[in-house]
Amino acid sequence: MSEPKQPSRFPRELLASGKDARFAYFRRQCTVEHTNLKGALGELRRYIRRSLDRRLIAFVGPTGVGKTKLKEVLERMVIEETAAELDADPGRVPLASFNLYAPERGTLAWSDVYSSCLGSMNEDLVTQHGARPPSSDDGPARWSHRRPTTAELRETLKETIRQRRPKAIIIDEAQHLMQMAGSGKRLSVQFDNLKSLADHTQTPHILVGPYQLLPFFDLHGQLSRRSGFVHMPRYDAANPDDLRRFNSVVLAFQRLLPLEGEPDLLQHYTYLYENTLGCVGLLKSWLDEALDIALEDEAPTLTRKHLSRCVLPVTKLRRILLEIKDGEHLVAEEGLGRDVLLAELNIDPNPPDSGEITAPDGEAPAKQERGKQRRRAFERKPSRDPVGVPEEMRDQATPPDCTAPYATLGAET
Amino acid sequence: MKAVKPGPVEDLPAVHPLDTTRPPLPTRSRLFRLEPIGIGTPLVESLTSYVGRLAAAHHVSVGTLLAREILPLARGNNPVNKNEWMDGGHLGSVNGIGPLAQGWVDAVGRLTMRSDTRWTTMLPWDAITTFKGLLRPSRAWCPRCYGDFCSGGAYEPLLWALEPALACPVHRTPLQHRCPHCEADRLPRFSVRFRNGCCSRCDGWLGTHEGVQSPATDDAADPASLQTTLSLSEMLAAGPSFCLASQPTRQQLFAALRACARAAGIRTAEELAAAVSVHNATARWWLLSKQAPELGPLLRLAAHFGMRITEFLGGVLPTTPVTKPASAGPAKSPRSRKFTRRLFDGEAIRPVLQAALDTQTDTCRPRRRSAASTAGTLAPCICTCPSYAKHSRPSGQPTAR
């Protein structure tokens, strides 16, 4: 059976319900599976399912792109996929998922992180009634009822993860981990701590947060090797395909708004885009507020007027956009660093008479890939610029030097 | 942004709603689902050891685990009275039989969502034995076994908690009672400070270290104790398979006892009592199905008939009459001596005792026990109360020693 082309609509009987029910329906039950969400979800599920060497995973994206919503979708999928295992072993938990809250005094303590993780697995015995020291046969080991130390909480957490065997540990708002230390050197130690916990427990740890998380996964080689990266980008209007996908999301939300008259949001797609920066999460939050206003006004449909009453201020949008641009630049650097890597490996990116690396069926996709990487940043694709003498100048005695502009361009880069 | 018209709606990629509601999670166990060690083997873990391991895994004390989780369930709606369990006097009984053990097994089973915790107690044998003589009053252990367990995690077998078990079936040495560090004897069987393998007074390790063994562990256990322990360990090992196949009942036990006695040529209760070193009345009550044997005599019964306890309970009969008395086995209990109560006539006794004291011979020097035996010899009608000398002393005479 072919997939229905048009997105589904809201159930019409909802119109008979009150405003609260209609608002709750749109706010809580209307998440759409758009392309970028699907891609990021697939990557995360791969990390969880395969239990690869990369156990510390950064899941980054712009603010308001929908990372938390994707986390909820992921939790649901993991619970459904592990239903048989959960029935067979009542001691097991599918996931440990918790939020890191901004610390009250500006710095975050590891004991708070460990306690939050233990709480997400319903393990509160030690946090409420004190811990025991690890068992030892070297003389008497005293214990008492007191607050557990950070080391004790860490040991308890390791044992709890070992016993409960969650598929993954998901830490939302992980950017607050940056507030553990004041300098870059100590920050690497903190992330090493997290990496060693992930390695010791053999459990993927997924850190969800904005782009600020990225640089700290590249602090040293060991951390880089053991860490993975999943990116959920916004829809970039410079890319026509992205814009089409964004509009399909707008259309989907348009059909799900529980109003008597279906609003025509597509005609305002530029307005919607410029005030959400292509982030589906921001779009959804905006539509939630606008729907609330429309329901309060008892309007038959949603109009631009309702949208404009709850639009984000421009200053805020610009700040968000700056952060997004910085983050996207960080992500883009990964692709641009290939030539640098080759140079450091003393590999000539343009080897003469080099044999082609062909695929088993005789094609050469790698050649196209290498050719693509050979171009440096801001270097124009050669096919875009004509070469040779223009036709109208062929009759002249001295042909002009058509390569002159490009010679200077090459020197600048 | 370059104005790009969205195009016809039909050309836009389809996007569908996603269900993000978290599905209901099946009930998870409150505590870790640790597997009891050694079910179906002679060294099956005891319930107290299992609770100790649970507490260690959760990194809390046994007291915390009891107060927070186990006792509120085990005691039902009754409020937890800390004074009742702080002392730990009755806590060790949870390894035995009866409603206390059953309550704990149910509570621990609910918290761990396991159905096999009953094999860590004597509950499967509830119908065929009694509280008396079942559990030892204090803790006992084999240091070498603790040393062997060290690598995999120390635990306490149920065997060590049973009173008839005096030796280790693996190392064939007597079980120890005294802590090598603080010299404390008669350690509580279970307490809020309990830790597997450690003294509950000083927290010292009770096992052997590598290359270091306490002198007491080198002694060999006496054959009788070892034989009883081996029978007991066979009984524990057979528990799951035997009790699940045919849950032994008290009627089954009495019927088996009578049948075996008949087949072995034992005709009277006195003969049976002499065979297994119990009081005549005890044997009589067994044959009348009024009282189940204690664990020790039960094992001696099976040994006397030349069969395992499971064979005995399963209705197997001895092939030949057993005529020789039971030579192996512990000494007779002092309670087996005849005890008759005689009337006390103070008026008749007083002049006789006075005369005995006046003679001032060594045999008449009043001592606590000798006064009773002397009075018993001189006046057969005197009550054999050892405190008689203390309370009926003539004035001016030397103090009874």
Side-chain angles (χ1 to χ4, degrees):
Chain A
M1 185 172 133
S2 62
E3 200 178 326
K5 194 70 176 157
Q6 297 301 322
S8 38
R9 294 175 186 272
F10 70 93
R12 298 300 292 184
E13 54 270 17
L14 200 59
L15 291 174
S17 311
K19 295 175 198 173
D20 291 340
R22 287 152 74 179
F23 178 74
Y25 163 78
F26 186 74
R27 184 170 162 78
R28 296 205 179 99
Q29 298 181 39
C30 293
T31 301
V32 294
E33 189 184 21
H34 54 97
T35 308
N36 286 355
L37 184 144
K38 226 167 156 180
L41 186 63
E43 282 293 301
L44 286 172
R45 287 177 70 187
R46 185 175 64 85
Y47 276 117
I48 291 173
R49 198 168 44 239
R50 295 290 177 228
S51 188
L52 300 167
D53 267 356
R54 298 183 186 184
R55 294 195 189 94
L56 198 60
I57 297 126
F59 172 37
V60 300
T63 303
V65 79
K67 298 186 294 296
T68 302
K69 191 57 71 175
L70 186 145
K71 188 195 77 163
E72 291 174 17
V73 173
L74 181 66
E75 287 173 10
R76 180 188 169 85
M77 285 187 171
V78 170
I79 291 173
E80 285 174 350
E81 285 169 8
T82 55
E85 294 174 46
L86 296 177
D87 284 338
D89 184 0
R92 191 164 184 183
V93 295
L95 282 172
S97 174
F98 62 99
N99 285 11
L100 276 185
Y101 295 104
E104 290 174 3
R105 296 181 189 175
T107 50
L108 189 66
W110 275 110
S111 57
D112 295 332
V113 178
Y114 297 146
S115 298
S116 298
C117 193
L118 286 168
S120 69
M121 290 184 278
N122 286 329
E123 182 62 30
D124 58 357
L125 274 173
V126 68
T127 52
Q128 294 198 17
H129 277 269
R132 308 197 58 156
S135 61
S136 163
D137 56 357
D138 300 324
R142 294 292 171 192
W143 55 271
S144 61
H145 293 290
R146 53 172 171 75
R147 277 176 67 89
T149 62
T150 304
E152 287 162 355
L153 282 173
R154 184 183 165 89
E155 291 304 311
T156 307
L157 179 61
K158 277 194 213 170
E159 182 65 23
T160 303
I161 293 173
R162 196 176 74 83
Q163 294 287 345
R164 295 295 190 184
R165 295 187 293 139
K167 284 285 192 180
I169 313 273
I170 304 177
I171 306 174
D172 203 354
E173 307 292 334
Q175 70 274 13
H176 294 305
L177 286 170
M178 306 301 126
Q179 290 160 290
M180 286 271 192
S183 70
K185 185 180 175 187
R186 281 191 65 202
L187 201 58
S188 70
V189 168
Q190 307 297 349
F191 270 81
D192 271 344
N193 183 28
L194 204 56
K195 180 191 77 69
S196 71
L197 183 65
D199 286 343
H200 182 91
T201 56
Q202 303 270 304
T203 305
H205 283 53
I206 301 172
L207 276 58
V208 183
Y211 290 116
Q212 287 94 314
L213 274 178
L214 268 181
F216 303 102
F217 279 73
D218 293 331
L219 286 165
H220 56 72
Q222 179 74 341
L223 194 57
S224 302
R225 187 177 80 80
R226 294 289 197 175
S227 56
F229 163 68
V230 175
H231 181 214
M232 184 170 171
R234 66 184 179 115
Y235 289 106
D236 188 355
N239 183 340
D241 287 335
D242 267 7
L243 198 56
R244 286 182 65 242
R245 291 178 192 127
F246 180 80
N247 288 333
S248 66
V249 174
V250 169
L251 177 64
F253 281 140
Q254 170 182 304
R255 288 174 178 257
L256 290 170
L257 282 164
L259 295 163
E260 285 88 0
E262 182 179 321
D264 186 7
L265 296 178
L266 273 180
Q267 67 166 325
H268 307 293
Y269 76 96
T270 51
Y271 179 64
L272 290 170
Y273 185 90
E274 72 197 30
N275 287 292
T276 60
L277 312 174
C279 296
V280 173
L282 292 179
L283 173 66
K284 178 66 168 44
S285 304
W286 190 13
L287 291 175
D288 285 344
E289 285 194 59
L291 174 65
D292 187 38
I293 294 170
L295 289 172
E296 284 301 316
D297 292 348
E298 295 182 0
T301 188
L302 193 79
T303 62
R304 182 158 171 156
K305 202 163 121 184
H306 298 122
L307 290 169
S308 58
R309 279 167 65 180
C310 51
V311 68
L312 280 175
V314 171
T315 47
K316 198 167 181 182
L317 285 171
R318 289 187 67 193
R319 196 173 310 123
I320 295 173
L321 185 62
L322 270 172
E323 288 175 6
I324 291 174
K325 290 284 188 188
D326 287 341
E328 287 174 348
H329 182 69
L330 277 174
V331 173
E333 273 185 352
E334 169 61 25
L336 297 175
R338 177 66 55 177
D339 279 346
V340 176
L341 175 66
L342 290 174
E344 287 168 354
L345 287 172
N346 296 320
I347 295 175
D348 186 354
N350 301 308
D353 300 327
S354 63
E356 288 185 0
I357 299 172
T358 59
D361 58 357
E363 294 178 358
K367 183 181 174 183
Q368 187 181 356
E369 187 66 23
R370 276 213 303 279
K372 202 172 177 179
Q373 293 166 0
R374 205 170 292 143
R375 242 185 357 268
R376 291 173 294 175
F378 309 109
E379 189 176 351
R380 291 167 65 86
K381 193 173 175 183
S383 61
R384 298 181 65 181
D385 300 305
V387 296
V389 179
E391 205 165 321
E392 56 273 18
M393 298 176 77
R394 282 189 190 165
D395 296 331
Q396 292 184 10
T398 310
D401 184 3
C402 300
T403 62
Y406 304 113
T408 56
L409 185 63
E412 283 165 8
T413 58
Chain B
M1 181 178 75
K2 188 176 178 182
V4 173
K5 287 190 180 173
V9 162
E10 292 74 23
D11 291 345
L12 292 175
V15 171
H16 299 288
L18 263 181
D19 189 358
T20 58
T21 50
R22 201 177 166 108
L25 203 59
T27 308
R28 305 289 88 195
S29 63
R30 176 75 183 109
L31 302 178
F32 298 150
R33 284 188 91 232
L34 302 183
E35 187 175 348
I37 297 173
I39 290 179
T41 69
L43 295 182
V44 58
E45 186 175 23
S46 64
L47 183 60
T48 49
S49 165
Y50 184 68
V51 171
R53 281 202 302 130
L54 274 176
H58 285 274
H59 286 249
V60 292
S61 65
V62 166
T64 298
L65 192 65
L66 294 183
R68 281 287 308 277
E69 304 293 338
I70 296 178
L71 286 179
L73 282 180
R75 292 180 59 83
N77 293 327
N78 296 327
V80 175
N81 184 352
K82 277 191 185 175
N83 292 331
E84 282 189 38
W85 56 268
M86 280 299 287
D87 187 31
H90 77 284
L91 285 181
S93 307
V94 299
N95 289 327
I97 57 178
L100 179 67
Q102 186 64 59
W104 274 59
V105 162
D106 291 342
V108 173
R110 276 172 64 183
L111 291 167
T112 57
M113 294 183 73
R114 293 195 74 96
S115 56
D116 54 359
T117 46
R118 67 192 302 260
W119 304 113
T120 60
T121 65
M122 291 299 286
L123 279 172
W125 309 98
D126 191 358
I128 62 160
T129 188
T130 63
F131 292 96
K132 214 172 175 186
L134 180 64
L135 299 173
R136 64 172 66 255
S138 59
R139 199 170 163 193
W141 62 90
C142 172
R144 286 186 187 172
C145 280
Y146 272 148
D148 295 342
F149 295 157
C150 197
S151 56
Y155 77 99
E156 295 202 353
L158 178 61
L159 186 67
W160 296 353
L162 301 176
E163 187 168 337
L166 301 174
C168 171
V170 176
H171 300 103
R172 315 253 160 164
T173 52
L175 296 180
Q176 303 300 308
H177 305 265
R178 186 180 295 276
C179 172
H181 303 283
C182 64
E183 301 286 323
D185 197 4
R186 301 176 68 80
L187 293 175
R189 296 174 291 188
F190 193 53
S191 68
V192 294
R193 295 174 55 89
F194 176 85
R195 274 175 66 192
N196 280 312
C198 296
C199 173
S200 48
R201 301 256 169 93
C202 68
D203 263 348
W205 173 243
L206 296 174
T208 54
H209 291 269
E210 286 178 0
V212 176
Q213 292 183 1
S214 80
T217 62
D218 292 335
D219 299 338
D222 69 277
S225 305
L226 190 59
Q227 185 56 44
T228 306
T229 307
L230 288 172
S231 303
L232 201 44
S233 58
E234 278 181 4
M235 178 180 166
L236 293 177
S241 54
F242 180 76
C243 296
L244 284 175
S246 57
Q247 179 66 36
T249 62
R250 197 155 280 202
Q251 302 315 316
Q252 196 178 334
L253 165 69
F254 293 136
L257 177 59
R258 284 191 286 272
C260 284
R262 211 175 303 120
I266 294 175
R267 292 186 298 272
T268 62
E270 285 73 19
E271 286 177 19
L272 184 62
V276 292
S277 304
V278 295
H279 199 273
N280 289 345
T282 304
R284 203 173 298 125
W285 280 53
W286 294 350
L287 294 173
L288 292 174
S289 307
K290 291 204 173 184
Q291 183 179 309
E294 295 175 20
L295 186 59
L298 181 65
L299 293 169
R300 292 201 296 273
L301 271 171
H304 178 73
F305 294 130
M307 57 180 73
R308 294 197 177 102
I309 188 72
T310 47
E311 290 170 342
F312 174 66
L313 294 170
V316 174
L317 298 177
T319 50
T320 54
V322 179
T323 53
K324 63 176 170 70
S327 55
K332 263 191 176 178
S333 161
R335 292 173 292 166
S336 65
R337 284 201 308 243
K338 276 203 169 177
F339 179 82
T340 53
R341 192 178 182 84
R342 291 176 288 186
L343 295 175
F344 178 78
D345 185 359
E347 295 302 321
I349 292 167
R350 189 182 295 279
V352 174
L353 282 177
Q354 188 64 50
L357 287 168
D358 288 341
T359 58
Q360 295 186 1
T361 59
D362 285 342
T363 54
C364 294
R365 184 171 303 154
R367 281 169 33 176
R368 190 164 276 209
R369 288 194 184 171
S370 63
S373 59
T374 304
T377 305
L378 294 175
C381 61
I382 296 173
C383 169
T384 55
C385 175
S387 64
Y388 174 76
K390 180 181 171 185
H391 295 293
S392 302
R393 194 176 311 121
S395 59
Q397 293 302 314
T399 307
R401 290 178 57 196

